Structure formats: C-alpha cells, structure tokens
Amino acid sequence: MSDSPANEQREVVLAGLADSVWKLDAAMATEFAHRAVAIGMDAYEAINDGLAKGMMVVSGKFDRREYFVPELLRAAKAMNTGIDILKPYLKVDASTHKGTVVIATVKGDIHQIGKNLVALMLRTAGFTVHDLGVNCPAEKYLGKAKEENADIIGISALMTTTMLYMETVTQALQKEGMRERISVMVGGAPVSEMFAKKVGADRYASHAAMAVEVAKELVAAKVE
Amino acid sequence: MGLTILPEGLTVDVAPGVSVLEACREHDIDLPGICGGRGRCRECRVTVIDRVVAPSALDQSLLEPDDIARGWRLSCQLKVDGDLTVELPPVSLKLLDPSVVLPQLASVEPVIQDVSVNLPDASDESDRPAIALLEDALLGKGIRLRRSSIAALRELGLALSRREPSVRCLMHEGTLLDVRSRSSSTVYGLAIDIGTSTVSMALLDLTTLAMLSVETERNPQGAYGGDFMSRIAFAMEKEENLLELHGKIIQRINRMIDRLVVSYGLARKDIVLATVAGNAVMHHLFFGLDVKALGGFPFRPVLNELLTVPAAELALRLEPATPVVGLPLISGYIGADTVAVMIALDLLGRSDTVIAVDVGTNAEVALVHRGRLYVCSAPAGPAFEGAQMACGTQARPGAITKIAIDDARRQLRIDTVEEKPPFGIAGTGIVDLVAELVRVGVLDASGRMLDTEEWPAWLRERAHLAGEMRAFIVARDPQNRPLYLHQGDVRELQLAKAATATAIHYVMDAAKVTAAELDRVYVAGAFGSYLDPVSILRIALLPEVPLDRVEFIGNAALAGAVLATLSRKHLDNAVRVARDAVRVDMATDESFQDVFVDKLRLAH
C-alpha cells in the first residue's frame, strides 16, 4: 500500500503541512492545504496528521527555547492559514472541537502577552477560547465559565503580588459548587508547580505549547 | 541554638526551625535572597562548615552534586536544628559603588536658610516673648517665621540670657530648626538614594556646596527578595511585615549616619537636612507607608507629592526636628528616583532632544523634546543582574563582568571582579556575551543559538548541552566546571531587553521623535555604569544612535537628590517635573504586543 502513488502523494502533502508550521511558513501552509484539498484528502486528517504534527515540533523547540515568542506566533499563523483553507471541507460530524476554555489575567495584573499566546495556541489546537483580557475579577471568570459551560478556566499572573489572587478564583469556584465540573490551569513567570498546588489549581503549564497538552489532558480526564 | 556565621564570626541565638536566611534577616546580616525564599534562585546559598546536613529537595534540584558535596545549601531551606556554623558567600560592593556626576553650582538659593539676625537689646523692658522678638528680626530680613522646633526655642532662650547680640538661625520652609551662636560650625546635609538593591548616601557641606563623600551599602530588604514586587508580596502576608521592611531600611540608614558621624567627627545636630530619592516602593517603605496598592494595577500610591517629615517621626538618629524630605513621585510605578534623574540632567531647562534610560530590574525612561517631558516605565525583571541565569550571579569577587571575543587572536577575553578566578557570569557579562555571540554568528538576531556546525570553527569546542538546551561555554571555574550561557538564558535577557526597549519606543512615539533626532542618550543606574555602550547598542537595547551620543551618568538619582538638598531651584524643579511630566502608558496600547515582540530582536 505505502508505495502506491496516491499514498506517496498523501505522505508528501502531510509532511508539507507539518513542515510549513515548524518552518513558520504561511505561504507553504497555503500551498499544501490547497494540495490536500486537490487530492481529496480528509480535512480532519490534514489538520490532525499534518498541521498539528508540525505544531508538536514547534512545541519541542519551544521547550528547548530554540523557538521563542515570535516563532510561536508565526507558527500559529501558518497553522491557522492552513486551517482556514481546510475548514470548509471538514465533515460536520468530524468536529475538531476539543473543549471550551475561559482565560484571563488576574485582577490587579495587566500583563497580556503570555495569556494571549496561550489563548492563541489553544484556539489553534481546536479549543473554543473565551479571552476575558486582563485585570479580571473572580466573578467574571465564574460568570463566563457558567455561561459558556466551560471545561477549563485558565488563570495567568505575572507578578508575585498578583499571583495570590489565583486562590481567590479557585475558592470562589469551590463556593459556587463549580469546582468539580471545571478544571483550573494556571501559568505565568512567577508561578510554579508547587504554587499551583498551593492555590488549589489542577495543573500548571510553564509555557503556551505545554498549556495545550495540559488542556487536552484535563479534558480527557473529565471524559473518563 | 547557636548559629555561627562566617566570615563575620558572629554567633547568634536562633529558635529551632528558623531558617538560616530568616536568622540573617533578623540579625541584619546581608544575605541576598533574590526570590524571597520561594526556591527559585540560588543566591542565598551558604556553605555549612562544621557538619554534614542532609540536602533539602530544593538543594538537590537547584545545586550541582559537587556543590552539595562541598557543603553548599540554600539558606532559605536550611533550618537550624542544633548548633551550626555556616559561611556566607563572598560579597563585593565594588561594582555597585556609583559614580555621581554633578553640575557646577556656583551660587544657589539654598534649601536651608542660614541667616544671622541681631537680637534686640536686653534692656528692652517689654515682656514680649523672645520668639516674637526674633520673628520681627527675621521679618526685617524678609523671612516669615511660621513654626519653631523645641530645640530652637531652648537655644533662643539661652542666647537671650547670655545677652548675645546676634544669633544664627537655621530655617526650613518657615520652620526655625535651630538657633546657634554666630561662630558655630558648618552645617551638613544628606542625600540618600534608596535603590532596590543598594542604598547610597552623600554627605554634603551646605555652606561650600561640596560633596564630601558617597557611601553605598546593600539594601537589607534584599533578603526578602531581589525585586520590589517580592517585598510587596512579603508585606501582603501580614501587617507587621510592612513595619519589618520599614525598620530594616531605617536601621541601615542609621548605621550609615553613625559611621559618617564618627569618620567625619560630625556633631549629629549639624546635619540639618536629608533628602531621599527612590522608586515608589522604596520611598513608601522608607516612610513606612503601605505598599500593597503598589503591588498591582492600578498601582495607587499613598501619596505622590513632596513629603517632609521630622527625623524623629522616622526614628532616624538625627536631631528630632531635622527635616527629611521625600522627593515627589510621578505615579505608583514612576518614582522619585526618576524625578531625581530628571533634575540631575536638568531636563526641564533643555532645548535639545534627549532621552534618559535607567537600566535595571525596573526600566525607567524619560524623554524631553521641545520642552515637554515624557516618562514611561517597564518591569524588566532581574536578568540584567544575572539572576535566574544558569551560571548567572551578582557582582561578587570572581563574577565575570566583561567578555570580548577576539577573532584575530582566537581567544575570549574576560574580566572578573577583583580579578578572582571566575565562578559565575554577572549581568554586564551576559549582555557583552550575547552581543558578541550575535556578532560572530553563534546566535542569530532572533536569539536562536545556531547548530554547532554553523559556528566559527575555532569556537566549536565551546559548545555544550545544558539539559536539552544548547549552550556556549565562557570559561571554567577552579573546579573545572563549565560556566556557560544557554539558550534559555538568552531568552531571559531578550525579555528584559525588550521590556526596556519597548518603554523607550513608547516615549519616543508619544513625543513623535525618531532615533536620528536624539541629541543624547543617557544611561543611568548603578548597574548601568558598567554596561558596555557598544554591547547595548548592538543588541538594540538603545535606539540606533551614533556611539558618541551615548553617555553614562552613573547614579543620577543620587545626583538629583544631592542637587535637591543644596538648591531651592532644583527642589522646585522636582515638584514641577513630577507635576508636568506626561505619563506614557504602554501596557494598554493595542500595538503593545507587536512592539514588544519586535523588540525581542537582538539587532536594529
């Protein structure tokens, strides 16, 4: 099977899609997304086994800090360019929807870049993301999570003074009886695994690419 | 239990379960705790001398096995459970000693008025109080007396009964501070800059306008965290903590005053004025004002105006009525230190276009263009101080402070503090190294460390793998362990650099000024003085200007405090600057993220 010409072409297109993402090349993503459509490849497969594979490579490079913020933005741009072309061909039942996340930077903190990156990466990975911006009070997190029936609340803080507010959010969830239904993930420069536990969060993610993996695991654990 | 601390040789009594870091804090022994004891740095490490103590989990994750074997432990984790002897890491203030550049002051209207007045003849038979007689005499010289200190009233009474024909009056803002005989000695002033890491104090002769000395010590609050946010976090834990931080800085300043009094043979009452500059958090902690609201958006200070308090209310060891003046703040995140820098550079009086950048954990930027002032600040984090870098360190003996790659001779040239064998890389060394690695092609302008095969051949033997990250070996320590810069360190530096460059971008944008229009770029800050101008231009920390337009101005905040102690005009300028400067807010700007990402690049 693997040496049939059709199969060979399929492999080339999937590799091209993956490469376009980690090579940060939106034009290349456009080209290979069109080729995927032209050969009648299943759009879900093109995204999952092509573009998303490339994003895994990006994630590994980010872990080693070989890639940094600008590269992450360009990779997401390449991936989204490909997804936009493939989207109209997605079968309705083969939804790529992974889960719903409400995300914001805590009250008292107006740092946005890290949180924006996490939101972008989650969207790129197929999550529905409601970004409430910065300086977000606990009630606002809870209100939106309730309204959207969110799976996850993502909390960002970039200062040692504001990260304490994460506990206010988890306690409010507890008080409202929402803690069982909604997972909490936290991140930001001063936050650590140890601190995440202390404030009653489920998980900590040290960077945006890792946040996607953590979010997927949290949703999977919920399904079980 | 007895905790003996070397090299001081001091033994203190410590309750069981208290950490060595906490014990040092309590006994005013300088031990840096960059992360505030949260287990995120290694700066508080000590060497356990007299026995083997089991390493903590954090020791094992943050220290090398060799270091653990030779007794290194993190003092924040090391609990005293019996008599213990530890040795502190060597500390050097050499690199932190700031230079202070002052303009020429020929004659000034002084802040402290020092006037001689004739007292009415004692044969005057009226029963008018002595103070009313003096009030008239002062009014005759155009000076209105509003209040008197109790010390001044005591002296006045004595002078009258001694039938002194005339006396010397020391006045501050209508307050009579002291009455003394005409032949009395010189009077002095103190200018104090309270930085997050260090405290500098200048002793000034108010008569001759001379600066007699500058002393620098560590800010003892360093044991509660290297950056001011961790001090606020400490103050948030419980209310007493605010008083503890306030007490620490007062205690340190008192110690510095005591030393000046002894070494210059001063009478304490001859110090008649003190002026304090510092960022908003250091300012508030010095005055004992609550800092919690400075810990987050919208960063509300308790007050931002000029604040004058008698020394007694601050428990400073000066004459009780001696005025202690806190320079005004611009906002909760642009402090009195920035105001002081602006008066030192006389930004209000200039017709050219200049920018002043304070490089440090908090970047502060001021720009003047067509007579208007613009200011902006950005948290840059501790990367410039070498913190949170794999082999980074503060500027202690053996810290690598300068690095140059000599292509022709195929060698790396390094300078270390006190020329001691290298043991870590200081922030200035990291800046140099990153600039050099971009130049020779080990890093690209995006900050990525290239594959070793792409490096110049003669440098390839310096390639190293730190965990999974690529790294470049700068030198080896005496134990032959590599001192390296890894990919993650480069990224930390890029974040600090981008924060600073973004603040510069926004003030220039607000004033609609291009790099070509900048007549001068001043770099301030105790740390700033040791940066290499070529390096910071090359990594695009500063706007693209010719090298000769960059000027280092040392501790300009202290210089500003000195001027505000000596001269009424400069003090008034501080008030004007704080009131009139345009605050540029960048965090809420729509383009912020794009600008910041662009400024991560290590080239123009």
Side-chain angles (χ1 to χ4, degrees), chain B residues 85-132:
Chain B
T85 302
V86 299
E87 184 175 32
L88 303 190
V91 173
S92 167
L93 286 168
K94 194 179 157 198
L95 266 175
L96 299 167
D97 221 2
S99 54
V100 179
V101 185
L102 288 177
Q104 283 294 325
L105 290 173
S107 68
V108 296
E109 188 194 326
V111 178
I112 294 286
Q113 289 172 301
D114 186 346
V115 285
S116 293
V117 293
N118 294 324
L119 289 175
D121 205 316
S123 68
D124 179 5
E125 288 185 5
S126 106
D127 67 347
R128 286 192 74 205
I131 190 68

CSV table of all heavy atoms in Angstrom, one decimal, chain B residues 85-132:
chain,number,residue,atom,x,y,z
B,85,THR,N,27.5,26.0,62.1
B,85,THR,CA,28.3,27.1,61.6
B,85,THR,C,28.2,27.1,60.0
B,85,THR,O,28.3,26.1,59.4
B,85,THR,CB,29.8,26.8,61.9
B,85,THR,OG1,29.9,26.7,63.4
B,85,THR,CG2,30.7,27.9,61.5
B,86,VAL,N,27.9,28.3,59.5
B,86,VAL,CA,27.9,28.5,58.1
B,86,VAL,C,28.7,29.6,57.6
B,86,VAL,O,29.0,30.6,58.4
B,86,VAL,CB,26.4,28.7,57.6
B,86,VAL,CG1,25.5,27.6,58.0
B,86,VAL,CG2,25.9,30.1,58.2
B,87,GLU,N,29.2,29.5,56.4
B,87,GLU,CA,30.0,30.6,55.8
B,87,GLU,C,29.1,31.3,54.7
B,87,GLU,O,28.6,30.6,53.8
B,87,GLU,CB,31.3,30.1,55.3
B,87,GLU,CG,32.2,31.3,54.8
B,87,GLU,CD,33.5,30.8,54.3
B,87,GLU,OE1,33.6,29.6,53.8
B,87,GLU,OE2,34.5,31.6,54.5
B,88,LEU,N,29.1,32.6,54.7
B,88,LEU,CA,28.3,33.3,53.7
B,88,LEU,C,29.1,33.4,52.4
B,88,LEU,O,30.4,33.4,52.5
B,88,LEU,CB,27.9,34.7,54.2
B,88,LEU,CG,27.1,34.8,55.5
B,88,LEU,CD1,26.6,36.2,55.6
B,88,LEU,CD2,25.9,33.9,55.4
B,89,PRO,N,28.5,33.5,51.3
B,89,PRO,CA,29.2,33.7,50.0
B,89,PRO,C,29.9,35.0,50.1
B,89,PRO,O,29.4,36.0,50.7
B,89,PRO,CB,28.2,33.6,48.9
B,89,PRO,CG,26.9,33.9,49.6
B,89,PRO,CD,27.1,33.4,51.0
B,90,PRO,N,31.1,35.2,49.4
B,90,PRO,CA,31.8,36.5,49.4
B,90,PRO,C,30.9,37.5,48.8
B,90,PRO,O,30.2,37.3,47.8
B,90,PRO,CB,33.0,36.2,48.6
B,90,PRO,CG,32.7,35.0,47.8
B,90,PRO,CD,31.8,34.2,48.6
B,91,VAL,N,31.0,38.7,49.3
B,91,VAL,CA,30.2,39.8,48.8
B,91,VAL,C,31.1,41.0,48.4
B,91,VAL,O,32.0,41.2,49.1
B,91,VAL,CB,29.1,40.3,49.8
B,91,VAL,CG1,28.4,41.5,49.4
B,91,VAL,CG2,28.2,39.2,50.2
B,92,SER,N,30.8,41.6,47.3
B,92,SER,CA,31.6,42.8,46.9
B,92,SER,C,30.7,43.9,46.5
B,92,SER,O,29.7,43.7,45.8
B,92,SER,CB,32.5,42.4,45.8
B,92,SER,OG,33.1,43.6,45.3
B,93,LEU,N,31.0,45.0,47.0
B,93,LEU,CA,30.2,46.2,46.6
B,93,LEU,C,30.9,47.0,45.6
B,93,LEU,O,30.5,48.0,45.2
B,93,LEU,CB,29.9,47.0,47.8
B,93,LEU,CG,28.8,46.4,48.8
B,93,LEU,CD1,28.7,47.2,50.1
B,93,LEU,CD2,27.4,46.4,48.1
B,94,LYS,N,32.1,46.5,45.2
B,94,LYS,CA,33.0,47.3,44.3
B,94,LYS,C,32.2,47.8,43.1
B,94,LYS,O,32.2,48.9,42.8
B,94,LYS,CB,34.2,46.5,43.9
B,94,LYS,CG,35.3,47.3,43.3
B,94,LYS,CD,36.4,46.4,42.9
B,94,LYS,CE,37.3,47.0,41.8
B,94,LYS,NZ,38.1,46.0,41.2
B,95,LEU,N,31.5,46.8,42.5
B,95,LEU,CA,30.8,47.2,41.3
B,95,LEU,C,29.6,48.0,41.5
B,95,LEU,O,29.0,48.5,40.6
B,95,LEU,CB,30.4,45.9,40.6
B,95,LEU,CG,31.4,45.4,39.6
B,95,LEU,CD1,30.9,44.0,39.0
B,95,LEU,CD2,31.5,46.4,38.4
B,96,LEU,N,29.1,48.1,42.7
B,96,LEU,CA,27.9,48.8,43.0
B,96,LEU,C,28.2,50.2,43.4
B,96,LEU,O,27.3,51.0,43.6
B,96,LEU,CB,27.1,48.0,44.1
B,96,LEU,CG,26.7,46.6,43.6
B,96,LEU,CD1,26.2,45.8,44.8
B,96,LEU,CD2,25.7,46.6,42.5
B,97,ASP,N,29.4,50.5,43.7
B,97,ASP,CA,29.8,51.9,44.1
B,97,ASP,C,29.5,52.8,43.0
B,97,ASP,O,30.2,52.8,42.0
B,97,ASP,CB,31.2,51.9,44.6
B,97,ASP,CG,31.4,52.7,45.8
B,97,ASP,OD1,30.3,53.2,46.3
B,97,ASP,OD2,32.5,52.9,46.3
B,98,PRO,N,28.5,53.7,43.1
B,98,PRO,CA,28.2,54.5,42.0
B,98,PRO,C,29.1,55.8,41.8
B,98,PRO,O,29.6,56.3,42.8
B,98,PRO,CB,26.7,54.9,42.3
B,98,PRO,CG,26.7,55.0,43.8
B,98,PRO,CD,27.7,54.0,44.3
B,99,SER,N,29.2,56.2,40.6
B,99,SER,CA,29.8,57.5,40.4
B,99,SER,C,28.7,58.5,40.4
B,99,SER,O,27.6,58.2,39.9
B,99,SER,CB,30.6,57.5,39.1
B,99,SER,OG,29.7,57.1,38.0
B,100,VAL,N,29.0,59.7,40.9
B,100,VAL,CA,28.0,60.7,40.9
B,100,VAL,C,28.5,61.9,40.2
B,100,VAL,O,29.5,62.4,40.5
B,100,VAL,CB,27.6,61.1,42.4
B,100,VAL,CG1,26.6,62.2,42.4
B,100,VAL,CG2,27.1,59.9,43.1
B,101,VAL,N,27.8,62.2,39.1
B,101,VAL,CA,28.2,63.4,38.3
B,101,VAL,C,27.4,64.6,38.6
B,101,VAL,O,26.1,64.5,38.5
B,101,VAL,CB,28.1,63.0,36.8
B,101,VAL,CG1,28.7,64.1,35.9
B,101,VAL,CG2,28.8,61.7,36.5
B,102,LEU,N,28.0,65.6,39.1
B,102,LEU,CA,27.2,66.8,39.5
B,102,LEU,C,27.6,68.0,38.6
B,102,LEU,O,28.7,68.2,38.2
B,102,LEU,CB,27.6,67.2,40.9
B,102,LEU,CG,27.1,66.3,42.1
B,102,LEU,CD1,27.6,66.9,43.4
B,102,LEU,CD2,25.5,66.3,42.1
B,103,PRO,N,26.6,68.8,38.3
B,103,PRO,CA,26.9,70.0,37.5
B,103,PRO,C,27.6,71.0,38.4
B,103,PRO,O,27.5,70.9,39.7
B,103,PRO,CB,25.5,70.5,37.0
B,103,PRO,CG,24.6,69.9,38.0
B,103,PRO,CD,25.2,68.7,38.6
B,104,GLN,N,28.2,72.0,37.9
B,104,GLN,CA,28.8,73.1,38.7
B,104,GLN,C,27.7,73.9,39.3
B,104,GLN,O,26.8,74.3,38.7
B,104,GLN,CB,29.7,74.0,37.8
B,104,GLN,CG,31.0,73.3,37.4
B,104,GLN,CD,31.9,73.2,38.6
B,104,GLN,OE1,31.9,74.0,39.5
B,104,GLN,NE2,32.7,72.1,38.6
B,105,LEU,N,27.9,74.1,40.6
B,105,LEU,CA,26.9,75.0,41.3
B,105,LEU,C,27.7,76.2,41.8
B,105,LEU,O,28.4,76.1,42.8
B,105,LEU,CB,26.2,74.3,42.4
B,105,LEU,CG,25.2,73.2,42.1
B,105,LEU,CD1,24.8,72.5,43.3
B,105,LEU,CD2,24.0,73.8,41.4
B,106,ALA,N,27.6,77.3,41.1
B,106,ALA,CA,28.4,78.5,41.6
B,106,ALA,C,27.8,79.1,42.8
B,106,ALA,O,28.3,79.1,43.9
B,106,ALA,CB,28.5,79.5,40.5
B,107,SER,N,26.6,79.6,42.6
B,107,SER,CA,25.9,80.1,43.8
B,107,SER,C,24.4,79.7,43.7
B,107,SER,O,23.9,79.6,42.6
B,107,SER,CB,26.0,81.6,43.9
B,107,SER,OG,25.2,82.2,42.8
B,108,VAL,N,23.8,79.3,44.8
B,108,VAL,CA,22.5,78.8,44.7
B,108,VAL,C,21.7,79.4,45.8
B,108,VAL,O,22.2,79.9,46.8
B,108,VAL,CB,22.4,77.3,44.8
B,108,VAL,CG1,23.1,76.6,43.7
B,108,VAL,CG2,22.9,76.8,46.2
B,109,GLU,N,20.3,79.5,45.6
B,109,GLU,CA,19.5,79.8,46.7
B,109,GLU,C,19.3,78.5,47.5
B,109,GLU,O,18.8,77.5,46.9
B,109,GLU,CB,18.1,80.3,46.1
B,109,GLU,CG,17.2,80.8,47.2
B,109,GLU,CD,15.8,81.0,46.8
B,109,GLU,OE1,15.6,81.3,45.6
B,109,GLU,OE2,14.9,80.8,47.6
B,110,PRO,N,19.7,78.5,48.7
B,110,PRO,CA,19.8,77.2,49.4
B,110,PRO,C,18.4,76.7,49.9
B,110,PRO,O,17.5,77.6,50.0
B,110,PRO,CB,20.7,77.5,50.6
B,110,PRO,CG,20.5,78.9,50.9
B,110,PRO,CD,20.2,79.6,49.6
B,111,VAL,N,18.3,75.5,50.2
B,111,VAL,CA,17.0,74.9,50.7
B,111,VAL,C,16.9,75.3,52.2
B,111,VAL,O,15.9,75.6,52.7
B,111,VAL,CB,17.0,73.4,50.5
B,111,VAL,CG1,15.7,72.8,51.2
B,111,VAL,CG2,17.1,73.0,49.1
B,112,ILE,N,18.1,75.2,52.9
B,112,ILE,CA,18.1,75.6,54.3
B,112,ILE,C,18.6,77.0,54.3
B,112,ILE,O,19.7,77.3,53.8
B,112,ILE,CB,19.1,74.7,55.1
B,112,ILE,CG1,18.6,73.2,55.2
B,112,ILE,CG2,19.4,75.2,56.5
B,112,ILE,CD1,17.5,73.0,56.1
B,113,GLN,N,17.8,77.9,54.9
B,113,GLN,CA,18.2,79.3,55.1
B,113,GLN,C,19.1,79.4,56.3
B,113,GLN,O,18.7,78.9,57.4
B,113,GLN,CB,17.0,80.2,55.1
B,113,GLN,CG,16.3,80.3,53.8
B,113,GLN,CD,15.0,81.0,53.9
B,113,GLN,OE1,14.1,80.6,54.7
B,113,GLN,NE2,14.8,82.1,53.2
B,114,ASP,N,20.2,80.0,56.2
B,114,ASP,CA,21.2,80.1,57.3
B,114,ASP,C,21.4,81.6,57.4
B,114,ASP,O,22.2,82.2,56.7
B,114,ASP,CB,22.4,79.4,56.8
B,114,ASP,CG,23.5,79.3,57.9
B,114,ASP,OD1,23.3,80.0,58.9
B,114,ASP,OD2,24.4,78.5,57.8
B,115,VAL,N,20.7,82.3,58.4
B,115,VAL,CA,20.7,83.7,58.5
B,115,VAL,C,21.2,84.2,59.9
B,115,VAL,O,20.8,83.6,60.9
B,115,VAL,CB,19.4,84.4,58.1
B,115,VAL,CG1,19.1,84.3,56.7
B,115,VAL,CG2,18.2,83.7,58.9
B,116,SER,N,21.9,85.3,59.9
B,116,SER,CA,22.3,85.9,61.2
B,116,SER,C,21.4,87.1,61.4
B,116,SER,O,21.1,87.9,60.5
B,116,SER,CB,23.7,86.4,61.1
B,116,SER,OG,24.6,85.3,61.0
B,117,VAL,N,20.8,87.2,62.6
B,117,VAL,CA,20.0,88.3,63.0
B,117,VAL,C,20.4,88.9,64.3
B,117,VAL,O,20.9,88.2,65.2
B,117,VAL,CB,18.5,88.0,63.1
B,117,VAL,CG1,17.9,87.5,61.7
B,117,VAL,CG2,18.3,86.9,64.1
B,118,ASN,N,20.2,90.2,64.4
B,118,ASN,CA,20.5,90.9,65.6
B,118,ASN,C,19.4,90.7,66.6
B,118,ASN,O,18.2,90.9,66.2
B,118,ASN,CB,20.8,92.4,65.4
B,118,ASN,CG,22.1,92.6,64.5
B,118,ASN,OD1,23.0,91.8,64.7
B,118,ASN,ND2,22.0,93.5,63.6
B,119,LEU,N,19.7,90.4,67.8
B,119,LEU,CA,18.7,90.3,68.8
B,119,LEU,C,18.5,91.7,69.5
B,119,LEU,O,19.5,92.4,69.7
B,119,LEU,CB,19.0,89.3,69.9
B,119,LEU,CG,19.0,87.9,69.4
B,119,LEU,CD1,19.5,86.9,70.5
B,119,LEU,CD2,17.5,87.5,69.0
B,120,PRO,N,17.3,92.1,69.8
B,120,PRO,CA,17.1,93.4,70.5
B,120,PRO,C,17.8,93.5,71.8
B,120,PRO,O,18.0,92.5,72.4
B,120,PRO,CB,15.6,93.5,70.7
B,120,PRO,CG,15.0,92.2,70.4
B,120,PRO,CD,16.1,91.4,69.7
B,121,ASP,N,18.2,94.7,72.1
B,121,ASP,CA,19.0,94.9,73.4
B,121,ASP,C,18.1,94.3,74.6
B,121,ASP,O,16.9,94.6,74.7
B,121,ASP,CB,19.2,96.4,73.6
B,121,ASP,CG,20.4,96.6,74.4
B,121,ASP,OD1,20.5,95.9,75.5
B,121,ASP,OD2,21.3,97.4,74.1
B,122,ALA,N,18.8,93.7,75.5
B,122,ALA,CA,18.1,93.1,76.6
B,122,ALA,C,17.6,94.2,77.6
B,122,ALA,O,16.7,93.9,78.4
B,122,ALA,CB,19.0,92.2,77.4
B,123,SER,N,18.0,95.4,77.4
B,123,SER,CA,17.5,96.5,78.2
B,123,SER,C,16.0,96.8,77.9
B,123,SER,O,15.3,97.5,78.6
B,123,SER,CB,18.3,97.8,78.1
B,123,SER,OG,18.2,98.3,76.8
B,124,ASP,N,15.5,96.3,76.8
B,124,ASP,CA,14.1,96.4,76.4
B,124,ASP,C,13.3,95.9,77.5
B,124,ASP,O,13.4,94.8,78.0
B,124,ASP,CB,13.9,95.6,75.1
B,124,ASP,CG,12.4,95.7,74.6
B,124,ASP,OD1,11.6,96.4,75.2
B,124,ASP,OD2,12.1,94.9,73.7
B,125,GLU,N,12.4,96.8,78.0
B,125,GLU,CA,11.7,96.4,79.2
B,125,GLU,C,10.4,95.8,79.0
B,125,GLU,O,9.6,95.5,79.9
B,125,GLU,CB,11.6,97.7,80.1
B,125,GLU,CG,12.9,98.0,80.8
B,125,GLU,CD,12.8,99.1,81.7
B,125,GLU,OE1,11.7,99.6,82.0
B,125,GLU,OE2,13.9,99.6,82.2
B,126,SER,N,10.0,95.6,77.7
B,126,SER,CA,8.8,95.0,77.4
B,126,SER,C,8.8,93.5,77.8
B,126,SER,O,9.9,92.9,77.9
B,126,SER,CB,8.4,95.2,76.0
B,126,SER,OG,8.5,94.0,75.3
B,127,ASP,N,7.7,92.9,78.0
B,127,ASP,CA,7.6,91.5,78.3
B,127,ASP,C,7.3,90.6,77.0
B,127,ASP,O,6.8,89.5,77.1
B,127,ASP,CB,6.7,91.1,79.4
B,127,ASP,CG,5.2,91.4,79.0
B,127,ASP,OD1,5.0,92.0,77.9
B,127,ASP,OD2,4.3,90.9,79.7
B,128,ARG,N,7.5,91.2,75.9
B,128,ARG,CA,7.3,90.4,74.7
B,128,ARG,C,8.1,89.1,74.7
B,128,ARG,O,9.3,89.2,75.0
B,128,ARG,CB,7.6,91.2,73.4
B,128,ARG,CG,6.6,92.3,73.1
B,128,ARG,CD,6.8,92.9,71.8
B,128,ARG,NE,6.4,92.0,70.7
B,128,ARG,CZ,6.9,92.0,69.5
B,128,ARG,NH1,7.8,92.8,69.2
B,128,ARG,NH2,6.4,91.2,68.6
B,129,PRO,N,7.5,88.0,74.3
B,129,PRO,CA,8.3,86.8,74.3
B,129,PRO,C,9.5,86.8,73.3
B,129,PRO,O,9.4,87.6,72.3
B,129,PRO,CB,7.3,85.7,73.8
B,129,PRO,CG,5.9,86.4,73.9
B,129,PRO,CD,6.1,87.8,73.9
B,130,ALA,N,10.5,86.1,73.7
B,130,ALA,CA,11.7,86.1,72.9
B,130,ALA,C,11.4,85.7,71.4
B,130,ALA,O,12.0,86.3,70.5
B,130,ALA,CB,12.7,85.1,73.5
B,131,ILE,N,10.5,84.8,71.2
B,131,ILE,CA,10.2,84.3,69.9
B,131,ILE,C,9.6,85.4,69.0
B,131,ILE,O,9.8,85.5,67.8
B,131,ILE,CB,9.4,83.0,69.9
B,131,ILE,CG1,9.3,82.4,68.5
B,131,ILE,CG2,8.0,83.3,70.4
B,131,ILE,CD1,10.6,81.9,68.0
B,132,ALA,N,8.8,86.3,69.7
B,132,ALA,CA,8.2,87.4,69.0
B,132,ALA,C,9.2,88.4,68.5
B,132,ALA,O,9.2,88.9,67.4
B,132,ALA,CB,7.1,88.1,69.8
